[in-house]
């Protein structure tokens, strides 16, 4: 919401033509908000809406900014169809893909379309769309229909989480991680493989720590497949959470359900801490010092040390439960002591860095001390062995 307010303030300084186009789409969003406020907030809270806002605000004034701004029409249209509004609107689609956040994308070869929205039905006409498109979005449900030119997002089993391999803002243009991995295209993101890993990870976590399953279902909205990278040597699987897009896990396809389970716990905690720090700053701004940590080869700023320590503390907790749980699969229990010890030592070293730093706020120090208390309560590997 802060990003959206910043965008409004910037648009107010734009050319009158740009402002009028934005105001037209804003009225559609207002109409949807009056009808069903929770739906509009859900659309705005979808991770890729935040990623678009960040990209739009980072663009320089002129054609680049205005090109990104056209996506606001798609956001407003998504809110309108999900809220059951009656709207007719024209949208500009310079990329040729009209992306409806959380629903899917519609190919618009001519770069524009006319949308007629009525009671959960969306009909797209013109703009080179073959034969028009009719999409039905029932209240609280997934879209049905669509016709030629429409590609809908696919669900992952057991949870209200989608595999988003379509939204143009799902991965920054510069890529993710040291290898600058791009977004995977749909043909590189086999739904069956992702669904199998997701289902297997969920079953594994249910047997090991059921509370994590509920937490992941509450925190995550989307999984974004990263393009295939060469995993050679000791390079771990690449996964990430974007600060502007909490609720989305960006990851390469895990090789197993076990690896997927670790990714989900790790990235869910990044999302939680990112959201907390937006409300309660835990680190002082402007700190320049960097520090060595056990889970990364490159030195990390204090905020990175805190984020990593929090996520790896959750993994330490997970592996302790894997070693002591009676329902844990045997393969996981065999690995538990080694994994528990490795993560526990890494977190212990990071906690020392955090507690000796003057870059934490008062709340940050309190938070870190609580992390330390939980870390101490987990004990050492001898407790796993009874």
């Amino acid at each position: 919401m802060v990003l959206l307010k910043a965008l409004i303030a910037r648009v107010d300084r734009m050319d009158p033509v740009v402002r009028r186009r934005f105001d037209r789409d804003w009225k559609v969003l207002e109409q949807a908000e009056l009808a069903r406020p929770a739906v509009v907030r859900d659309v705005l809270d979808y991770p890729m809406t935040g990623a678009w806002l960040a990209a739009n605000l980072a663009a320089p004034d002129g054609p680049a900014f205005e090109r990104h701004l056209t996506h606001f029409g798609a956001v407003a249209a998504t809110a309108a169809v999900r809220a059951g509004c009656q709207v007719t609107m024209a949208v500009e689609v310079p990329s040729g893909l009209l992306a409806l956040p959380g629903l899917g994308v519609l190919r618009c070869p001519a770069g524009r379309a006319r949308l007629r929205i009525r009671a959960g039905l969306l009909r797209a006409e013109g703009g080179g769309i073959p034969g028009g498109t009719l999409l039905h979005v029932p209240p609280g449900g997934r879209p049905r229909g669509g016709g030629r030119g429409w590609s809908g997002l696919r669900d992952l089993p057991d949870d209200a989480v989608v595999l988003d391999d379509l939204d143009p803002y799902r991965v920054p243009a510069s890529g993710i991680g040291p290898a600058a991995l791009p977004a995977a295209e749909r043909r590189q993101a086999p739904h069956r493989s992702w669904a199998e890993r997701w289902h297997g990870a969920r079953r594994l976590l249910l047997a090991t720590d059921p509370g994590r399953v509920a937490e992941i279902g509450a925190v995550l909205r989307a999984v974004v497949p990263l393009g295939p990278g060469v995993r050679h040597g000791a390079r771990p699987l690449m996964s990430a959470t974007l600060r502007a897009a909490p609720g989305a896990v960006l990851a390469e396809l895990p090789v197993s359900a076990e690896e997927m389970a670790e990714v989900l716990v790790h990235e869910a905690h990044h999302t939680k801490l990112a959201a907390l720090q937006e409300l309660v700053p835990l680190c002082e701004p402007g700190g320049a010092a960097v520090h060595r940590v056990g889970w990364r080869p490159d030195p990390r700023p204090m905020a990175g040390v805190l984020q990593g320590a929090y996520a790896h503390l959750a993994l330490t907790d997970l592996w302790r439960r894997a070693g002591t749980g009676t329902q844990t699969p045997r393969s996981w229990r065999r690995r538990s002591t080694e994994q528990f010890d490795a993560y526990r030592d890494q977190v212990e070293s990071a906690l020392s860095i955090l507690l000796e730093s003057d870059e934490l706020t008062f709340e940050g120090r309190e938070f870190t001390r609580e992390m330390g208390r939980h870390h101490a309560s987990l004990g050492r590997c001898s407790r796993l062995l009874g």
Side-chain angles (χ1 to χ4, degrees), residues 25-279:
D25 295 335
W26 183 263
K27 286 182 172 61
V28 173
L29 192 68
E30 282 186 333
Q31 183 177 338
E33 202 273 340
L34 287 170
R36 296 189 65 189
V39 163
V40 173
R41 187 56 190 259
D42 195 58
V43 173
L44 294 178
D45 281 346
Y46 186 67
M48 269 46 86
T49 302
W52 156 67
L53 284 163
N56 206 158
L57 289 166
D61 287 347
F65 179 84
E66 293 172 22
R67 183 182 179 89
H68 283 295
L69 191 61
T70 59
H71 182 64
F72 183 57
V75 173
T78 303
V81 70
R82 288 191 53 195
C85 295
Q86 181 170 321
V87 172
T88 299
M89 60 188 297
V91 290
E92 298 294 324
V93 194
S95 67
L97 286 176
L98 178 67
L100 304 179
L103 300 181
V105 300
L106 174 65
R107 283 175 286 283
C108 302
R112 63 185 180 278
R114 187 170 184 81
L115 307 181
R116 299 181 186 277
I117 300 170
R118 303 284 188 281
L121 294 173
L122 182 149
R123 183 182 296 278
E125 302 168 338
I129 300 170
T133 296
L134 182 64
L135 185 69
H136 179 218
V137 186
R142 303 296 301 152
R144 299 197 296 263
R148 288 189 298 162
W150 169 256
S151 297
L153 297 183
R154 298 168 294 180
D155 296 328
L156 291 171
D158 309 313
D159 286 297
V161 178
V162 296
L163 187 71
D164 196 331
D165 51 3
L166 295 174
D167 194 290
Y169 290 97
R170 63 193 187 275
V171 174
S174 58
I176 288 290
L181 294 180
E185 300 299 328
R186 171 149 287 193
R187 65 182 180 277
Q188 302 168 330
H191 180 255
R192 177 175 295 179
S193 297
W194 280 98
E196 288 175 351
R197 304 290 195 279
W198 178 273
H199 181 65
R202 195 177 187 278
R203 290 183 61 188
L204 188 61
L205 291 171
L206 276 171
T208 306
D209 185 3
R212 297 287 184 207
V213 179
E215 178 178 71
I216 288 166
V219 168
L220 299 184
R221 299 279 303 278
V223 173
V224 175
L226 294 177
V230 179
R231 294 181 68 184
H232 51 75
R235 184 177 82 78
L237 175 127
M238 181 63 211
S239 66
T241 298
L242 301 179
R243 182 177 177 183
V249 172
L250 285 63
E252 298 173 86
L253 178 65
V255 299
S256 64
E258 289 84 355
E259 192 173 48
M260 172 68 97
E262 285 199 86
V263 166
L264 294 178
V265 171
H266 185 270
E267 298 303 335
H269 279 73
H270 280 321
T271 281
K272 286 166 58 181
L273 194 58
L276 175 63
Q277 290 192 97
E278 291 296 329
L279 299 172

